[in-house]
Amino acid sequence: MAEKFDVKLSEKYYMPDPSYKQNSWLGDYQKAYNDFLKDPDGFWDRVAQELHWFTPYTKVKEWNYPYARWFTGGKTNITYNCLDRNVANGRRNKVALIWRGEDGTERIYTYRQLYREVQRVANGLKKLGVTKGDRVCIYMPMVPEQIISMLACARIGAVHSVVFGGFGAAALNSRINGAEAKVVITADVTYRRGKSIPYKRVIEEAIINAPSVEYVVVLRRELDQPVEIHSEMEVDFYDLIKDVSQECEPAVMDSEDPLFILYTSGSTGAPKGIVHTCGGYMVGTYYTTKYVFDIKENDVYWCTADPGWITGHSYVVYGPLAMGATIIMTEGTPDFPDPSIWWRMVEEFGVTILYTAPTAIRMFMKLGEEWPNKCNLSTLRILGSVGEPLNPEAFEWYYRVIGKKSCPIVDTWWQTETGMQMVTTMVGEPMIPGFAGKGIPGVIADVVNKEGKPVKPGTGGFLVIREPWPSMLRTVYKDDERYRKYWNTIPGCYAVGDLAVKNAAGYIMVLGRADDLIVVAGHNIGTAEVESALVSHQAVAEAAVIGKPDAMKGNIIKAFVILRLTHSPSDRLKKELLYHVRITLGPIAMPSEIEFVQSLPKTRSGKIMRRVLKAKELGMDPGDISTLEE
Ligand code: WT7
């Protein structure tokens, strides 16, 4: 790939090999985008026609601001498209899922085997009295049964609410009660760094005051020391599916029937139960998986996310399986038993598409290139990133060390609420480090001021989406008021809550959450920008920045910095870092204080919780910290 400097773009950019564009599903981005703009409904209709509908929809979209309905009248089942269709269409013996445990154990499911297992678990759930519309909470480690349980719910029309396994009892209890789950599916333990971590014990505590729960299904993994099954409420996973049929007809779901609820933290208050529906979510995730990752029949696709997050829902489970892809899943941590484990997996399984988070990339940067360099990564052809801004330094490292300067990087911006990827640089298009890219065909993304007017290139503003899209959230479970807020904050737009800036070529750089904005002496400064500047110094592994109230300036900037192992803290280094920010970002963005730290408070999805840092700094209550890791 060529490295170029372009006057129009005014940034350094990378041009992928032309073969990527020639061979992609998308072809020319601009042409695809124009096709969409000319006839948005026709565009989505063509995508939806690639999937199976029991009864065809009569309308592609009905839009009554701020409520959208997609593929109305259509009847389908997402598992039919993920399983039956692939089994029938020549992928019966294709590998659907390769799972690898921390100790190296492998379990492999072909499409036929996965299909069979899903139907058995679906029949098991039916035995417990679960019917269409009932909510089932899934609190499981990253094992095949986690995916199978999700699909089993969808098979019978039950609404799953997956809770990430790292959440504690109180967070779990509020999510179970929020969704009024009838059944909870869990496991005895997960394995982490060679130790077993209990799950069932957390559930036992979490269901004490959860009146909706009738059964807890327990997957027992520790066969030497099986946990006790308390028969009043609990059911053994294997017992449940022992004598059931391998066939379970898919429930006929209306497009607009709910498929799942997924809780996500709001900037204030209780977590929000984001509701996604069957038809639109299916079309949106299928479409983006196909076009953004450009998945082909022989790809080996690995998204490292836990299905407990939206990334796992959309890009471990539903999108890739609807595409009939081979997916990889691992329960292990990226640096155990040593930091080469991921790269050995890429080599062993011949991974071609890797989708991960900037926080993981920066961790590997810190640990050193020698680990990936030991492995043969030549099968990789496309790299992806999601969850937070991929700062230019992390981009360059990912591009050079992992992609060997020949893999396009798709930095995908989206949210739990959007269900699918929204902004990225499509494979084959020029990539600009630090910029996610443009709206994918089907999505109208813009950067605007408070009134909803587009801001000039180079001026910061609010990232918004202008028109409804198929996989948008339909409501916040039992709190529609909070749903309407997304559409009522900025006139005519869906306000995503992020700050962004566009360049002259229309590429969008996401700066971070609007609530992470620091106003210093009347100037808006995005924490992400300052952090990115700090991280671009060779001594810095990771940085987090907060605003501290100041009588003179309104706020001053305080930075918390983790150094690379090759450097140690000193006053001299602090001065160097200040100088570096001054030169790269300008004096206005210079921190007033720098503190060297060993770790930063993060959510389990890897986002730095600046709020927690700030509360600690100011001696205040940090508020809800249920999403804090460890
Ligand atoms: C928020 C949504 C989307 C799945 C994982 C997170 C941030 C996400 C990017 C990106 C910059 C990003 C935004 C967004 N974000 N992807 N590529 N570049 N920021 O889902 O927990 O719902 O968080 O994550 O701030 O609003 P989520």
Side-chain angles (χ1 to χ4, degrees):
M1 275 187 228
E3 198 176 303
K4 290 196 184 152
F5 197 85
D6 184 78
V7 202
K8 188 174 118 248
L9 295 168
S10 309
E11 282 96 10
K12 181 179 175 186
Y13 73 93
Y14 293 99
M15 204 55 219
D17 190 276
S19 63
Y20 274 100
K21 191 177 204 150
Q22 279 154 18
N23 301 329
S24 70
W25 288 114
L26 182 79
D28 185 63
Y29 166 82
Q30 204 51 54
K31 182 184 175 305
Y33 202 88
N34 292 343
D35 285 351
F36 154 67
L37 281 183
K38 251 183 269 150
D39 178 13
D41 286 5
F43 173 90
W44 285 113
D45 186 29
R46 284 193 295 280
V47 177
Q49 287 304 322
E50 294 182 21
L51 293 159
H52 182 82
W53 301 82
F54 304 134
T55 308
Y57 42 86
T58 50
K59 268 193 122 160
V60 170
K61 173 180 79 200
E62 288 174 73
W63 179 224
N64 296 305
Y65 197 95
Y67 297 105
R69 295 166 58 80
W70 282 85
F71 310 111
T72 40
K75 308 280 180 203
T76 188
N77 186 301
I78 197 165
T79 71
Y80 187 94
N81 281 294
C82 291
L83 300 170
D84 306 55
R85 200 172 55 106
N86 290 317
V87 166
N89 293 351
R91 298 194 181 109
R92 180 175 309 217
N93 298 314
K94 178 174 176 176
V95 172
L97 168 65
I98 301 176
W99 176 87
R100 191 185 179 284
E102 211 185 48
D103 64 356
T105 314
E106 279 173 27
R107 290 170 61 192
I108 295 177
Y109 289 82
T110 62
Y111 268 91
R112 180 183 139 272
Q113 288 169 321
L114 187 65
Y115 180 47
R116 204 173 60 189
E117 284 307 297
V118 167
Q119 295 182 85
R120 290 176 71 201
V121 177
N123 282 329
L125 290 173
K126 274 188 182 169
K127 273 203 319 207
L128 298 180
V130 178
T131 56
K132 190 167 168 173
D134 284 343
R135 273 82 55 213
V136 173
C137 172
I138 300 174
Y139 179 77
M140 295 185 97
M142 281 174 81
V143 289
E145 287 79 1
Q146 183 191 29
I147 294 180
I148 291 167
S149 299
M150 291 166 74
L151 292 165
C153 289
R155 187 76 179 172
I156 60 175
V159 176
H160 58 68
S161 164
V162 186
V163 178
F164 173 63
F167 279 112
L172 185 53
N173 174 269
S174 76
R175 285 160 174 78
I176 291 172
N177 284 335
E180 293 172 305
K182 187 167 177 177
V183 169
V184 180
I185 310 179
T186 191
D188 51 357
V189 296
T190 186
Y191 300 104
R192 207 179 151 85
R193 298 179 191 284
K195 296 201 181 72
S196 55
I197 315 276
Y199 268 48
K200 181 166 176 283
R201 275 219 302 275
V202 184
I203 288 281
E204 285 168 3
E205 202 179 323
I207 61 163
I208 287 175
N209 281 310
S212 61
V213 178
E214 293 176 18
Y215 294 101
V216 178
V217 180
V218 185
L219 176 76
R220 287 198 277 192
R221 308 178 69 201
E222 297 229 283
L223 300 175
D224 319 339
Q225 283 175 301
V227 292
E228 200 181 325
I229 297 281
H230 306 300
S231 58
E232 308 82 50
M233 286 274 279
E234 297 172 0
V235 187
D236 181 286
F237 191 94
Y238 297 115
D239 283 349
L240 187 68
I241 59 173
K242 200 161 56 198
D243 300 316
V244 297
S245 154
Q246 296 181 12
E247 276 157 40
C248 174
E249 284 298 307
V252 175
M253 304 301 287
D254 190 89
S255 260
E256 286 295 319
D257 279 337
L259 173 65
F260 66 83
I261 300 170
L262 184 60
Y263 282 89
T264 184
S265 44
S267 45
T268 52
K272 302 188 253 196
I274 303 301
V275 177
H276 282 290
T277 50
C278 294
Y281 177 82
M282 174 176 81
V283 172
T285 53
Y286 165 80
Y287 163 73
T288 44
T289 305
K290 176 169 173 179
Y291 288 89
V292 172
F293 295 122
D294 196 39
I295 291 196
K296 304 286 166 47
E297 199 57 50
N298 292 327
D299 272 311
V300 177
Y301 167 87
W302 183 17
C303 166
T304 63
D306 188 309
W309 304 111
I310 191 69
T311 305
H313 280 62
S314 302
Y315 300 110
V316 175
V317 184
Y318 290 114
L321 293 178
M323 273 301 288
T326 297
I327 64 176
I328 306 273
M329 180 193 216
T330 175
E331 187 176 5
T333 21
D335 57 352
F336 182 87
D338 69 52
S340 72
I341 181 65
W342 276 21
W343 316 116
R344 280 192 277 134
M345 285 187 47
V346 168
E347 177 176 320
E348 273 179 45
F349 296 122
V351 173
T352 59
I353 302 171
L354 177 69
Y355 191 34
T356 192
T359 181
I361 298 164
R362 288 196 296 262
M363 184 199 80
F364 287 119
M365 278 173 80
K366 179 178 159 186
L367 293 168
E369 297 179 19
E370 60 268 29
W371 298 103
N373 285 349
K374 278 188 205 165
C375 302
N376 180 351
L377 307 180
S378 63
T379 51
L380 287 172
R381 64 178 201 95
I382 291 168
L383 302 174
S385 172
V386 61
E388 50 172 332
L390 181 63
N391 51 297
E393 298 65 38
F395 179 102
E396 304 272 356
W397 190 90
Y398 199 25
Y399 182 70
R400 177 175 59 81
V401 179
I402 305 305
K404 312 294 179 204
K405 299 192 181 175
S406 65
C407 300
I409 294 179
V410 285
D411 172 5
T412 58
W413 178 91
W414 60 294
Q415 312 177 295
T416 304
E417 293 88 334
T418 68
M420 69 178 203
Q421 298 155 337
M422 303 292 279
V423 174
T424 195
T425 301
M426 300 297 280
V427 164
E429 292 298 306
M431 298 167 279
I432 312 176
F435 286 78
K438 306 183 191 180
I440 64 165
V443 172
I444 305 180
D446 205 351
V447 182
V448 303
N449 63 16
K450 275 206 285 294
E451 285 74 48
K453 298 261 157 23
V455 295
K456 285 201 295 285
T459 309
F462 301 98
L463 180 59
V464 295
I465 309 296
R466 284 203 187 276
E467 295 287 328
W469 63 101
S471 66
M472 62 189 256
L473 76 163
R474 297 300 194 269
T475 185
V476 174
Y477 195 60
K478 292 198 228 157
D479 197 350
D480 197 57
E481 177 76 41
R482 275 174 115 184
Y483 168 75
R484 288 194 295 272
K485 255 203 198 124
Y486 287 100
W487 290 95
N488 291 341
T489 307
I490 298 175
C493 304
Y494 167 84
V496 313
D498 284 349
L499 294 170
V501 58
K502 249 180 172 176
N503 74 1
Y507 278 56
I508 294 168
M509 173 188 277
V510 181
L511 300 170
R513 298 293 304 173
D515 29 26
D516 285 337
L517 188 75
I518 308 176
V519 184
V520 184
H523 296 267
N524 292 354
I525 294 167
T527 50
E529 227 174 342
V530 183
E531 288 162 7
S532 176
L534 285 164
V535 173
S536 72
H537 188 279
Q538 40 129 354
V540 177
E542 203 153 13
V545 161
I546 60 165
K548 242 175 111 169
D550 178 85
M552 281 286 285
K553 297 181 168 180
N555 286 287
I556 54 147
I557 299 173
K558 166 148 192 186
F560 298 84
V561 168
I562 304 179
L563 292 176
R564 293 199 187 195
L565 297 176
T566 43
H567 290 75
S568 36
S570 69
D571 281 344
R572 177 71 227 149
L573 186 53
K574 269 188 199 173
K575 291 208 175 106
E576 257 183 68
L577 293 180
L578 287 176
Y579 182 71
H580 181 77
V581 177
R582 179 195 292 279
I583 299 303
T584 51
L585 260 186
I588 177 73
M590 276 171 69
S592 303
E593 290 176 42
I594 293 184
E595 187 180 324
F596 295 115
V597 293
Q598 296 296 327
S599 65
L600 291 168
K602 284 185 186 164
T603 63
R604 292 177 177 91
S605 60
K607 275 198 260 304
I608 296 168
M609 292 185 88
R610 296 180 188 81
R611 180 165 62 80
V612 173
L613 278 173
K614 190 164 178 169
K616 209 170 136 213
E617 183 69 27
L618 304 179
M620 288 171 5
D621 185 296
D624 174 21
I625 51 166
S626 62
T627 55
L628 190 66
E629 169 146 53
E630 256 132 48

